[in-house]
Amino acid sequence: MNAVISQLPPLLIVIPLLGALAALLLGKWNRAFAYPISLAMIGFQFAVSLVLMESVMDGDVIHYYLGGWPPPLGIELVIDSFNSFVLVVILALALLTAVWAHKGADLDIVPEKKVSFFVVFQLLITGLCGMAVTGDLFNLYVFLEISSIAAYTLVAAGRNPRSLIAGFNYLILGSIAAGFIVIGIGYLYIATGTLNMGELAVMLPAHYGQTTVYAAFLFMMIGFSIKVAFFPLHLWLPDAYTEAPAAVTILIATATSKVTAYAMLRVIFSVFTLQYVTDSFPVTELILIIAAIAIIAGAVLAIAQDNLKRMLAYSSISQMGYIMFALGVANQAALAGGILHIMAHAVMKGCLFMVAGMIIYRTGFTAIRQLSGLSRRMPVACAAFAIAGASMIGVPPTIGFMSKYYLVLGAVEAGEYLAAAVLLAGSLLAAVYIWQVIEVMYFGDIHDEDLGGGLEAPASMMVPVIILAASCLLLGIFVELPLEVVGPAAAMLLGGG
Amino acid sequence: MIPGILPLLAITIPLAAAALILATGRHMNLRDSVTLGAAASMVIVVLAMLPEILAGGRIGITLIPLLPGGDLALRVDALGMIFGIVASVLWLLNSLYSIGYMRALNEHDQTRFYFCFAIAIAAAIGIAFSANLVTLYVFYEILTLITYPLVVHVGTPEAMQAGRKYLAYLLGGGICLLAATILTYTLTGTTEFIPGGFLAGAGAAALSLQVIFLLYLGGFVKAAWMPFHAWLPAAMVAPTPVSAFLHAVAVVTAGVFGVVRVAGWVYGVDLMADLNLGVLLAVIASFTIITASLFALAQDNLKRRLAYSTVAQLSYILLGVSMLSTAGLIGAVIHIPFHAFQKIALFFCAGAVIVGAGRENISDMKGIGRKMPVTAVMCAAAAAGICGLPPFCGLVSKVYLTIGAVQAGELALLGVIIVSAVLNVAYFFPIIHTMIIARPSDDRALDTVTEAPLIMLVPIILAVTASVAFFFFPATPFLDLAEIAISDMSGAGMP
Amino acid sequence: MENLLVFIATRYIYIMTIILVMIGLYALIAKKNLVKKVIGLNIFQTAIFLFYISFSDVDGGTAPIYLPDGVSATYVNPLPHVLILTAIVVGLAITAVALAIVVRIYEEYQVTDEDGLQEVMKRQ
């Protein structure tokens, strides 16, 4: 292992933290400084994550002891194939969102607040990076709270006063969830005397069967289920996604939800291990059933919505069911599908929310029925929506199809035919809610003529959207590339690594 | 030259054409010449592969590894070649015709129309040349989605309603196909089409294989078998070239092609017989043939009557497959191209009447042949072909199907064919009678009627000429190809 | 009965913790006033802090301070204390953000309770 690379994990967190401080101070002096610094920091993180992923792709694992203190005293940072992949995905999305937000933030953020907006924006991303790289449970909680506090602030930061209420409710439920997680962590510490994930995985088998460990597992499961908005604990999500500033919706729908899902998978597979979960009580069955309900219920609720952002929010609840579905099936194909879906959903939902934001930016329309004939005014944006929507439905050869294929394959291999059927039915329902929009966009008549044509958004918003729409197709066609990382990552999780 | 380049080219040409059509959308003549040029070059590419296939060879290429159980791979064999020729040649005819039709009616959004058409053709060729179930599924879904804008082209509420029905049926079918593909893969570890099938060796329970076959049938809902046919008549709201495309060039053809593929290359004739799947298919097909023919009798709208006729005719192909005998299978396979050529001529005629006379209902067409002689005569000829009268190629496939029914010893199926022939005459003869023999209701009724433009008549004449030519020379190339395909898949041991 | 008394006598601190958690959750869910919700949140978090501190305690333990050579003592576990220091900071930040949002809500709507908010929403 290269000496420089082994020093990168802490830099991933520390340099952007200092950068955020610099952006704040320089931004007080001159507002123009804040955005470029934030953008540069996210770009830096993205570059680091690429280097890290490249160096762990052949199965290596990077361990970094903060301050040179080995666990259990010190905090350990770990980079392996799973979290390096998640890092690359969320940082790519974060970078594109930041580029998009250059113009997109004007929509909801008053100019005086833009400095603090981008600083908090960057803190959120840094918190997520911390969650992804840490190998210590309490540290995970701290980073979870850093990113969550940033997220509460950002959700409430919009011009629209309703965003305040959405942000407050998000804060209340998010804090309850965090409290549950930290209680669970406490129980694990009582049982084993360590907080390091690797050590916990080694020491816990001696304590399997203890009530303390059960309690820890249940508290953490419930806490994470709220954080990822796993049906029926999703109540904060629709309002938060709908009322938040457009750029924030994109970021929390892509990066935050994905890292939280990562953390949940990590805790279940790397701390408790699959064996514990399946042997102690029928929790995988239960998760599979709830995931199936989530897929259907989320999609049905999405169909009923008229507000575009709210429709996409409910769709996220349904899609989160897909990832939990992988957890419920828990074999190689399904987990690979689930991890692939983390990427797929980030890419396509990012694209869809960006288009929704662009529509508001140009026309102020939020309701689906207002989008009538929009494809004539915003042809590129609508085409991107159609492609990402096709991926959401799971039409081949998009990335959404690939992850769905693996999930169904995993379910069939596990003999869960009914679950596989539910998943396929879910994609039909996705077709209904996506098609409602596409039908109106492409085949509706233009109602208010005075808006005129040629409403395409500025290039800095368009480029990220085009990149994401193209990724939906290209990542699907060349699915071998992500699978090179996803396959080993799934195998590692199943092996309890 | 790299051997696999030709099938790849056959898919790339229409895709490239689609991009060019978007780019040249503002210049109508340039855009339409792109379509025509692409269609012509595609016919050349497809025909260039013909000698090799007729010699018993296969042309294959693996594009990219896609999923476990199926790379994105193309392989041209005799069966695929039949569909390939039908799709490419009829696309050329259809392009000529659409240019005349769309311009004559001054349709909106023509660029979108030609763009979707080109991609749909690429998907159809992809289905024809796919080497495994996964590739087939990928192109099958693309075909579903890209034809949707064509179906709802007019954009009226009625069209949107029909479009929703279209999507609901075909996407639902796609889900069944995906499920069947994944189940097949988990049973056997492969989805590669193998002549004679590969499921027999899987050692799976008969019941699960039967269930999977039902899923496949559900998947090939594009074949419009009853009672899952409703999307096809609903889709008649589309412009006539689209109807021609759905009924002859690609969509329903893809459905029946899929059934033949799965029967012969996934299950194999012996396994089909062991599982009693032939009986199942025969019941479905017979029911569809009779019921759809009766429905056709009741339609006054010409296009809707033709749609029900398609539903019935497609089930001839299923019927041929269900016989599981050599002649039956050959009859089924050659019925694909022969029906396509005749049905496209009929739809072209219906479109020509819309353009020349602005009429869609048969009862309004009294004596229209006096003003539109070419259209009326060609319509009569194509209808006669579908009824199975000489000298049209429809007779050839029907003869094979009849022999197949006798070979299989299923006299009931013979009965179905005969009853259906009577019904065919019953629903086609009134059309011919009204158009050519009947007198117009009053003297001024035909004042506004003119013959359709030449660019629309040429494809009609070409399609009818082809169906006459196939009667005299059925072997070139379809019968030969069908024989190669069937001997490929059956080997020995078939009655 | 005696067992129960022993149970309560030895574990009363955990029972207190559970009661506090319940009070906090009750306030978070049932109280209509947003400020009261924030107070509930604080009670909930404090209960968790208490939980950590109480399980780190060792009978007869003393503060973990370095003693001269030769002198030995039983220490309480210092790690949970350190963790809770961090958690207190986190809790403080959350309270600050929550109160800031409540203030902004009051500025926008002139109400701080849910019923009032719903009425304002309906009127809009």
Side-chain angles (χ1 to χ4, degrees):
Chain A
M1 183 77 52
N2 184 314
V4 177
I5 289 176
S6 65
Q7 298 301 315
L8 283 178
L11 296 184
L12 188 67
I13 316 292
V14 174
I15 292 190
L17 278 182
L18 295 177
L21 197 61
L24 190 62
L25 294 176
L26 288 172
K28 289 278 171 218
W29 177 41
N30 184 338
R31 245 182 248 159
F33 279 117
Y35 178 72
I37 296 177
S38 291
L39 193 63
M41 286 300 136
I42 299 166
F44 163 80
Q45 287 173 311
F46 180 54
V48 168
S49 72
L50 281 178
V51 174
L52 287 174
M53 184 168 85
E54 205 277 327
S55 62
V56 296
M57 237 157 92
D58 43 9
D60 283 347
V61 179
I62 302 175
H63 294 274
Y64 182 91
Y65 304 139
L66 274 183
W69 295 95
L73 289 178
I75 292 168
E76 184 193 21
L77 305 184
V78 184
I79 307 283
D80 57 26
S81 49
F82 185 21
N83 63 7
S84 66
F85 174 74
V86 172
L87 270 179
V88 169
V89 170
I90 61 140
L91 287 170
L93 261 305
L95 187 61
L96 290 174
T97 312
V99 172
W100 190 91
H102 180 54
K103 284 274 190 321
D106 296 342
L107 192 57
D108 319 86
I109 308 295
V110 286
E112 314 81 81
K113 297 278 164 113
K114 270 181 98 176
V115 173
S116 22
F117 176 79
F118 281 111
V119 170
V120 181
F121 192 86
Q122 196 200 325
L123 282 177
L124 169 55
I125 295 163
T126 308
L128 295 176
C129 289
M131 280 173 75
V133 297
T134 188
D136 182 281
L137 268 186
F138 200 82
N139 200 227
L140 175 72
Y141 159 74
V142 173
F143 278 120
L144 177 73
E145 284 296 60
I146 291 178
S147 65
S148 298
I149 294 170
Y152 309 146
T153 318
L154 288 177
V155 167
R159 253 180 211 156
N160 173 4
R162 279 165 184 265
S163 72
L164 291 166
I165 300 164
F168 188 80
N169 288 335
Y170 182 20
L171 182 144
I172 295 293
L173 277 168
S175 301
I176 294 177
F180 278 20
I181 292 172
V182 88
I183 292 175
I185 294 173
Y187 277 126
L188 281 184
Y189 186 76
I190 293 175
T192 63
T194 181
L195 291 167
N196 182 278
M197 294 186 195
E199 291 198 345
L200 275 169
V202 176
M203 293 170 72
L204 268 182
H207 304 278
Y208 283 173
Q210 282 185 9
T211 325
T212 327
V213 183
Y214 280 140
F217 182 78
L218 288 179
F219 270 115
M220 293 180 83
M221 277 301 293
I222 294 171
F224 276 117
S225 296
I226 298 176
K227 282 280 183 188
V228 300
F230 184 34
F231 188 89
L233 302 174
H234 64 279
L235 294 170
W236 60 271
L237 185 141
D239 279 337
Y241 280 21
T242 314
E243 311 296 354
V248 176
T249 308
I250 300 167
L251 193 67
I252 55 175
T254 57
T256 307
S257 66
K258 299 303 164 285
V259 177
T260 320
Y262 155 82
M264 186 171 185
L265 290 175
R266 186 56 118 187
V267 165
I268 289 175
F269 285 100
S270 299
V271 175
F272 289 96
T273 71
L274 179 62
Q275 200 210 339
Y276 173 72
V277 175
T278 46
D279 287 359
S280 31
F281 40 135
V283 72
T284 46
E285 279 296 313
L286 188 67
I287 290 176
L288 195 59
I289 293 168
I290 303 177
I293 297 173
I295 291 172
I296 301 296
V300 169
L301 287 168
I303 292 171
Q305 303 306 317
D306 186 43
N307 181 308
L308 181 58
K309 275 174 89 180
R310 193 174 282 273
M311 183 276 270
L312 293 175
Y314 278 107
S315 147
S316 275
I317 294 167
S318 169
Q319 300 285 320
M320 192 49 81
Y322 282 55
I323 296 170
M324 302 304 287
F325 185 92
L327 182 61
V329 175
N331 60 14
Q332 173 68 28
L335 264 187
I339 299 173
L340 201 60
H341 201 70
I342 289 181
M343 175 181 81
H345 185 237
V347 170
M348 56 209 193
K349 200 39 86 50
C351 185
L352 293 175
F353 270 123
M354 279 183 188
V355 174
M358 274 153 58
I359 292 170
I360 300 172
Y361 185 81
R362 277 303 193 205
T363 63
F365 294 160
T366 53
I368 292 173
R369 68 193 135 69
Q370 290 173 303
L371 308 181
S372 200
L374 200 73
S375 70
R376 274 158 231 170
R377 292 162 161 170
M378 306 177 74
V380 182
C382 289
F385 191 95
I387 292 173
S391 181
M392 192 68 85
I393 301 170
V395 178
T398 57
I399 182 68
F401 165 67
M402 300 301 162
S403 52
K404 199 177 76 183
Y405 183 92
Y406 276 97
L407 285 170
V408 176
L409 185 62
V412 169
E413 278 175 358
E416 303 278 3
Y417 297 107
L418 194 62
V422 168
L423 204 133
L424 290 173
S427 66
L428 264 191
L429 291 175
V432 177
Y433 62 71
I434 291 292
W435 218 266
Q436 285 179 338
V437 184
I438 290 183
E439 203 177 74
V440 173
M441 269 182 177
Y442 276 89
F443 303 99
D445 297 325
I446 295 181
H447 287 314
D448 42 328
E449 300 288 345
D450 44 324
L451 262 175
L455 290 174
E456 210 68 90
S460 74
M461 297 169 90
M462 199 54 100
V463 170
V465 167
I466 293 173
I467 291 176
L468 287 180
S471 307
C472 283
L473 280 176
L474 293 178
L475 287 172
I477 295 173
F478 302 104
V479 70
E480 285 290 294
L481 293 176
L483 276 180
E484 268 178 43
V485 192
V486 168
M492 185 193 73
L493 286 186
L494 287 173
Chain B
M1 197 163 59
I2 317 163
I5 198 83
L6 283 176
L8 186 58
L9 258 184
I11 292 187
T12 337
I13 288 174
L15 284 183
L20 276 177
I21 287 167
L22 271 194
T24 58
R26 299 231 175 92
H27 314 282
M28 205 161 138
N29 291 329
L30 199 56
R31 179 194 66 203
D32 294 352
S33 16
V34 168
T35 302
L36 283 180
S41 42
M42 203 167 107
V43 171
I44 294 170
V45 168
V46 171
L47 290 181
M49 288 185 274
L50 188 57
E52 167 118 32
I53 304 298
L54 279 175
R58 295 202 182 86
I59 307 172
I61 181 173
T62 300
L63 302 177
I64 38 170
L66 199 65
L67 288 169
D71 301 337
L72 196 62
L74 303 176
R75 197 181 54 222
V76 189
D77 64 359
L79 182 65
M81 197 65 202
I82 291 178
F83 186 15
I85 294 176
V86 170
S88 58
V89 172
L90 293 188
W91 186 38
L92 183 59
L93 292 187
N94 203 350
S95 303
L96 265 179
Y97 182 83
S98 335
I99 291 168
Y101 182 90
M102 300 297 276
R103 290 191 180 189
L105 290 185
N106 212 359
E107 284 275 354
H108 60 98
D109 288 314
Q110 291 194 25
T111 305
R112 181 178 83 199
F113 178 85
Y114 289 112
F115 171 80
C116 293
F117 234 110
I119 294 188
I121 264 302
I125 289 287
I127 293 171
F129 293 168
S130 51
N132 54 45
L133 282 166
V134 170
T135 314
L136 183 102
Y137 172 74
V138 168
F139 286 113
Y140 198 79
E141 286 287 271
I142 295 175
L143 184 61
T144 301
L145 280 194
I146 203 68
T147 44
Y148 170 82
L150 297 173
V151 171
V152 298
H153 185 83
V154 290
T156 56
E158 188 202 358
M160 302 315 290
Q161 194 61 44
R164 276 181 221 131
K165 197 179 239 179
Y166 183 80
L167 269 191
Y169 275 89
L170 296 197
L171 282 182
I175 298 272
C176 291
L177 183 57
L178 178 61
T181 304
I182 290 176
L183 286 168
T184 306
Y185 169 69
T186 42
L187 281 181
T188 61
T190 179
T191 64
E192 200 79 22
F193 294 131
I194 295 167
F198 58 86
L199 263 179
L207 182 64
S208 55
L209 289 180
Q210 283 160 338
V211 170
I212 295 175
F213 189 78
L214 278 180
L215 280 175
Y216 275 118
L217 268 188
F220 296 119
V221 69
K222 280 199 174 95
W225 48 276
M226 279 187 170
F228 295 103
H229 66 286
W231 60 273
L232 191 59
M236 283 299 104
V237 293
T240 310
V242 175
S243 308
F245 182 83
L246 294 180
H247 286 258
V249 185
V251 178
V252 298
T253 322
V256 287
F257 173 82
V259 175
V260 177
R261 222 2 150 207
V262 165
W265 277 257
V266 175
Y267 276 76
V269 176
D270 295 338
L271 185 61
M272 294 274 291
D274 288 348
L275 297 173
N276 293 327
L277 293 175
V279 181
L280 171 78
L281 257 187
V283 170
I284 293 175
S286 311
F287 172 73
T288 309
I289 291 175
I290 305 292
T291 319
S293 302
L294 291 173
F295 275 26
L297 275 175
Q299 306 298 324
D300 187 35
N301 182 308
L302 178 56
K303 281 170 76 181
R304 285 185 74 87
R305 185 173 290 194
L306 293 179
Y308 279 106
S309 152
T310 306
V311 173
Q313 295 290 321
L314 289 171
S315 276
Y316 273 75
I317 297 164
L318 302 188
L319 194 70
V321 174
S322 77
M323 294 169 190
L324 302 174
S325 65
T326 314
L329 282 164
I330 291 181
V333 171
I334 56 174
H335 199 58
I336 296 177
F338 290 173
H339 169 252
F341 274 92
Q342 296 168 129
K343 193 45 77 53
I344 203 169
L346 277 174
F347 271 104
F348 284 172
C349 291
V353 174
I354 292 174
V355 169
R359 298 174 194 191
E360 292 197 25
N361 289 339
I362 298 166
S363 48
D364 298 337
M365 293 182 189
K366 283 186 187 133
I368 221 167
R370 284 152 221 245
K371 282 291 187 73
M372 309 181 72
V374 184
T375 307
V377 169
M378 288 300 150
C379 186
I386 298 235
C387 295
L389 301 176
F392 301 101
C393 57
L395 180 62
V396 181
S397 44
K398 294 220 169 145
V399 167
Y400 269 95
L401 287 173
T402 315
I403 298 173
V406 175
Q407 261 184 3
E410 296 286 354
L411 292 183
L413 299 188
L414 194 63
V416 169
I417 295 175
I418 292 168
V419 171
S420 144
V422 174
L423 287 171
N424 278 343
V425 176
Y427 65 75
F428 273 126
F429 180 73
I431 306 178
I432 301 167
H433 180 268
T434 319
M435 285 172 95
I436 298 179
I437 300 167
R439 293 185 167 280
S441 42
D442 61 90
D443 296 342
R444 307 190 55 85
L446 293 180
D447 282 358
T448 53
V449 177
T450 51
E451 185 61 280
L454 188 62
I455 193 169
M456 292 171 69
L457 293 180
V458 170
I460 301 179
I461 297 171
L462 283 176
V464 172
T465 317
S467 65
V468 175
F470 292 140
F471 174 74
F472 290 107
F473 309 102
T476 36
F478 291 119
L479 195 53
D480 282 352
L481 284 172
E483 274 167 0
I484 295 172
I486 300 310
S487 65
D488 252 10
M489 97 189 198
S490 58
M494 209 162 46
Chain C
M1 192 65 206
E2 200 174 330
N3 283 345
L4 188 66
L5 282 177
V6 174
F7 181 85
I8 292 171
T10 50
R11 293 192 168 78
Y12 67 94
I13 191 77
Y14 296 106
I15 296 167
M16 289 299 296
T17 309
I18 291 168
I19 293 171
L20 277 179
V21 165
M22 290 306 160
I23 292 173
L25 278 178
Y26 170 79
L28 272 169
I29 293 161
K31 287 290 166 194
K32 297 283 183 198
N33 190 305
L34 300 185
V35 180
K36 286 185 181 164
K37 274 180 190 281
V38 178
I39 293 171
L41 183 62
N42 270 306
I43 297 174
F44 176 63
Q45 286 172 333
T46 312
I48 297 169
F49 303 158
L50 202 61
F51 168 64
Y52 266 68
I53 299 301
S54 52
F55 76 60
S56 72
D57 186 48
V58 178
D59 267 349
T62 147
I65 300 170
Y66 183 74
L67 294 169
D69 284 342
V71 184
S72 68
T74 315
Y75 299 141
V76 298
N77 186 348
L79 190 70
H81 293 77
V82 179
L83 299 179
I84 288 317
L85 273 182
T86 319
I88 288 171
V89 176
V90 170
L92 183 73
I94 291 180
T95 310
V97 171
L99 287 177
I101 294 176
V102 174
V103 170
R104 287 278 294 112
I105 290 177
Y106 184 73
E107 282 174 5
E108 290 287 343
Y109 298 107
Q110 279 77 48
V111 285
T112 55
D113 64 308
E114 279 181 340
D115 294 338
L117 272 177
Q118 258 164 12
E119 243 169 67
V120 178
M121 294 286 169
K122 245 183 246 162
R123 256 183 274 136
Q124 277 178 356

